[in-house]
Short mmCIF file of all heavy atoms in Angstrom, two decimals:
data_model
loop_
_atom_site.label_atom_id
_atom_site.label_comp_id
_atom_site.label_asym_id
_atom_site.label_seq_id
_atom_site.Cartn_x
_atom_site.Cartn_y
_atom_site.Cartn_z
N LYS A 56 67.68 25.85 -27.51
CA LYS A 56 68.97 26.03 -26.86
C LYS A 56 69.88 24.88 -27.25
O LYS A 56 69.44 23.75 -27.50
CB LYS A 56 68.83 26.11 -25.34
CG LYS A 56 68.38 24.83 -24.65
CD LYS A 56 68.37 25.04 -23.14
CE LYS A 56 67.86 23.80 -22.40
NZ LYS A 56 67.88 23.99 -20.94
N THR A 57 71.17 25.18 -27.31
CA THR A 57 72.18 24.20 -27.70
C THR A 57 72.72 23.52 -26.45
O THR A 57 73.11 24.19 -25.49
CB THR A 57 73.33 24.88 -28.45
OG1 THR A 57 72.79 25.57 -29.59
CG2 THR A 57 74.34 23.85 -28.93
N VAL A 58 72.71 22.20 -26.45
CA VAL A 58 73.25 21.44 -25.32
C VAL A 58 74.24 20.42 -25.86
O VAL A 58 74.18 20.02 -27.03
CB VAL A 58 72.13 20.72 -24.54
CG1 VAL A 58 71.20 21.71 -23.90
CG2 VAL A 58 71.36 19.76 -25.43
N GLN A 59 75.17 20.02 -25.01
CA GLN A 59 76.14 19.01 -25.39
C GLN A 59 75.68 17.65 -24.90
O GLN A 59 75.23 17.51 -23.76
CB GLN A 59 77.52 19.34 -24.81
CG GLN A 59 78.21 20.50 -25.51
CD GLN A 59 79.65 20.65 -25.05
OE1 GLN A 59 79.99 20.22 -23.95
NE2 GLN A 59 80.48 21.26 -25.87
N ASN A 60 75.77 16.65 -25.78
CA ASN A 60 75.50 15.27 -25.36
C ASN A 60 76.71 14.78 -24.58
O ASN A 60 77.79 14.56 -25.14
CB ASN A 60 75.28 14.37 -26.58
CG ASN A 60 73.93 14.60 -27.22
OD1 ASN A 60 73.00 14.98 -26.54
ND2 ASN A 60 73.85 14.41 -28.52
N ARG A 61 76.53 14.66 -23.30
CA ARG A 61 77.66 14.31 -22.45
C ARG A 61 77.86 12.81 -22.43
O ARG A 61 77.05 12.06 -21.88
CB ARG A 61 77.44 14.84 -21.03
CG ARG A 61 78.62 14.57 -20.11
CD ARG A 61 78.45 15.23 -18.76
NE ARG A 61 79.53 14.89 -17.85
CZ ARG A 61 80.72 15.44 -17.88
NH1 ARG A 61 80.98 16.37 -18.77
NH2 ARG A 61 81.66 15.08 -17.02
N ASN A 62 78.96 12.34 -23.03
CA ASN A 62 79.34 10.93 -22.99
C ASN A 62 80.54 10.80 -22.06
O ASN A 62 81.61 11.35 -22.34
CB ASN A 62 79.71 10.44 -24.39
CG ASN A 62 79.97 8.94 -24.44
OD1 ASN A 62 80.33 8.34 -23.44
ND2 ASN A 62 79.80 8.36 -25.63
N PRO A 63 80.41 10.11 -20.93
CA PRO A 63 81.51 10.04 -19.97
C PRO A 63 82.79 9.46 -20.56
O PRO A 63 83.88 9.76 -20.09
CB PRO A 63 80.95 9.16 -18.84
CG PRO A 63 79.78 8.46 -19.43
CD PRO A 63 79.23 9.35 -20.48
N LEU A 64 82.69 8.62 -21.62
CA LEU A 64 83.89 8.04 -22.22
C LEU A 64 84.76 9.12 -22.85
O LEU A 64 85.99 8.98 -22.92
CB LEU A 64 83.50 7.01 -23.28
CG LEU A 64 82.87 5.71 -22.76
CD1 LEU A 64 82.44 4.84 -23.92
CD2 LEU A 64 83.86 4.95 -21.87
N LEU A 65 84.13 10.22 -23.31
CA LEU A 65 84.88 11.27 -23.95
C LEU A 65 85.72 12.06 -22.96
O LEU A 65 86.61 12.82 -23.36
CB LEU A 65 83.94 12.20 -24.71
CG LEU A 65 83.15 11.57 -25.86
CD1 LEU A 65 82.27 12.61 -26.53
CD2 LEU A 65 84.08 10.95 -26.89
N ASP A 66 85.44 11.90 -21.66
CA ASP A 66 86.25 12.57 -20.65
C ASP A 66 87.55 11.83 -20.37
O ASP A 66 88.44 12.34 -19.69
CB ASP A 66 85.46 12.71 -19.34
CG ASP A 66 84.29 13.66 -19.48
OD1 ASP A 66 84.36 14.55 -20.34
OD2 ASP A 66 83.30 13.50 -18.74
N ASP A 67 87.64 10.59 -20.88
CA ASP A 67 88.81 9.74 -20.61
C ASP A 67 89.86 9.97 -21.70
O ASP A 67 89.65 9.59 -22.87
CB ASP A 67 88.38 8.28 -20.58
CG ASP A 67 89.50 7.36 -20.11
OD1 ASP A 67 90.68 7.80 -20.14
OD2 ASP A 67 89.21 6.22 -19.73
N PRO A 68 91.01 10.58 -21.38
CA PRO A 68 92.03 10.84 -22.42
C PRO A 68 92.57 9.56 -23.04
O PRO A 68 92.96 9.56 -24.20
CB PRO A 68 93.11 11.61 -21.66
CG PRO A 68 92.90 11.29 -20.22
CD PRO A 68 91.43 11.06 -20.05
N ILE A 69 92.60 8.45 -22.29
CA ILE A 69 93.09 7.18 -22.84
C ILE A 69 92.15 6.69 -23.93
O ILE A 69 92.57 6.23 -25.00
CB ILE A 69 93.25 6.13 -21.72
CG1 ILE A 69 94.30 6.61 -20.72
CG2 ILE A 69 93.62 4.77 -22.31
CD1 ILE A 69 94.48 5.68 -19.54
N PHE A 70 90.83 6.81 -23.66
CA PHE A 70 89.84 6.39 -24.67
C PHE A 70 90.00 7.22 -25.94
O PHE A 70 90.00 6.69 -27.05
CB PHE A 70 88.43 6.58 -24.09
CG PHE A 70 87.33 6.12 -25.01
CD1 PHE A 70 86.86 4.81 -24.95
CD2 PHE A 70 86.78 6.99 -25.93
CE1 PHE A 70 85.85 4.39 -25.81
CE2 PHE A 70 85.77 6.58 -26.78
CZ PHE A 70 85.30 5.27 -26.73
N ARG A 71 90.18 8.54 -25.78
CA ARG A 71 90.33 9.40 -26.95
C ARG A 71 91.62 9.09 -27.70
O ARG A 71 91.67 9.13 -28.92
CB ARG A 71 90.31 10.88 -26.52
CG ARG A 71 88.98 11.33 -25.94
CD ARG A 71 88.83 12.84 -26.01
NE ARG A 71 89.90 13.54 -25.30
CZ ARG A 71 89.82 13.91 -24.03
NH1 ARG A 71 88.75 13.63 -23.31
NH2 ARG A 71 90.83 14.55 -23.45
N ARG A 72 92.69 8.74 -26.94
CA ARG A 72 93.99 8.47 -27.57
C ARG A 72 93.95 7.22 -28.43
O ARG A 72 94.43 7.23 -29.57
CB ARG A 72 95.05 8.35 -26.47
CG ARG A 72 96.44 7.98 -27.01
CD ARG A 72 97.41 7.80 -25.85
NE ARG A 72 98.69 7.29 -26.33
CZ ARG A 72 99.67 6.90 -25.52
NH1 ARG A 72 99.48 6.95 -24.20
NH2 ARG A 72 100.80 6.46 -26.00
N PHE A 73 93.34 6.16 -27.92
CA PHE A 73 93.37 4.89 -28.64
C PHE A 73 92.29 4.77 -29.70
O PHE A 73 92.43 4.05 -30.67
CB PHE A 73 93.27 3.72 -27.65
CG PHE A 73 94.55 3.45 -26.93
CD1 PHE A 73 94.76 3.94 -25.66
CD2 PHE A 73 95.58 2.73 -27.54
CE1 PHE A 73 95.94 3.71 -24.99
CE2 PHE A 73 96.77 2.49 -26.88
CZ PHE A 73 96.97 2.99 -25.60
N PHE A 74 91.18 5.49 -29.52
CA PHE A 74 90.08 5.35 -30.48
C PHE A 74 89.90 6.58 -31.36
O PHE A 74 89.01 6.62 -32.19
CB PHE A 74 88.78 5.04 -29.74
CG PHE A 74 88.78 3.68 -29.09
CD1 PHE A 74 89.16 3.54 -27.77
CD2 PHE A 74 88.45 2.56 -29.81
CE1 PHE A 74 89.18 2.29 -27.17
CE2 PHE A 74 88.47 1.30 -29.22
CZ PHE A 74 88.84 1.16 -27.89
N GLY A 75 90.77 7.57 -31.16
CA GLY A 75 90.75 8.72 -32.06
C GLY A 75 89.50 9.55 -31.97
O GLY A 75 89.11 10.21 -32.93
N VAL A 76 88.83 9.54 -30.82
CA VAL A 76 87.60 10.32 -30.66
C VAL A 76 87.97 11.75 -30.36
O VAL A 76 88.78 12.02 -29.46
CB VAL A 76 86.74 9.75 -29.52
CG1 VAL A 76 85.47 10.56 -29.36
CG2 VAL A 76 86.42 8.30 -29.81
N PRO A 77 87.44 12.71 -31.09
CA PRO A 77 87.77 14.10 -30.81
C PRO A 77 87.31 14.53 -29.43
O PRO A 77 86.31 14.01 -28.90
CB PRO A 77 87.02 14.87 -31.90
CG PRO A 77 85.92 13.96 -32.32
CD PRO A 77 86.45 12.57 -32.17
N GLY A 78 88.03 15.48 -28.85
CA GLY A 78 87.70 15.93 -27.51
C GLY A 78 86.41 16.72 -27.44
O GLY A 78 85.74 16.74 -26.42
N GLN A 79 86.03 17.38 -28.54
CA GLN A 79 84.80 18.19 -28.54
C GLN A 79 83.58 17.29 -28.52
O GLN A 79 83.43 16.42 -29.38
CB GLN A 79 84.77 19.08 -29.78
CG GLN A 79 83.56 19.99 -29.85
CD GLN A 79 83.55 21.00 -28.72
OE1 GLN A 79 84.58 21.50 -28.32
NE2 GLN A 79 82.38 21.28 -28.19
N GLN A 80 82.72 17.47 -27.54
CA GLN A 80 81.54 16.64 -27.44
C GLN A 80 80.45 17.14 -28.38
O GLN A 80 80.33 18.34 -28.62
CB GLN A 80 81.04 16.62 -25.99
CG GLN A 80 82.08 16.06 -25.03
CD GLN A 80 81.55 15.93 -23.61
OE1 GLN A 80 80.39 16.18 -23.36
NE2 GLN A 80 82.41 15.54 -22.70
N PRO A 81 79.66 16.23 -28.96
CA PRO A 81 78.64 16.63 -29.94
C PRO A 81 77.56 17.50 -29.32
O PRO A 81 77.22 17.36 -28.15
CB PRO A 81 78.06 15.29 -30.42
CG PRO A 81 78.33 14.34 -29.30
CD PRO A 81 79.64 14.78 -28.70
#
Side-chain angles (χ1 to χ4, degrees):
K56 67 176 177 179
T57 303
V58 296
Q59 287 189 337
N60 285 332
R61 183 173 176 79
N62 186 335
L64 290 176
L65 297 181
D66 293 333
D67 188 342
I69 297 177
F70 183 90
R71 294 201 302 268
R72 176 183 173 188
F73 283 99
F74 292 94
V76 180
Q79 182 64 37
Q80 300 185 4

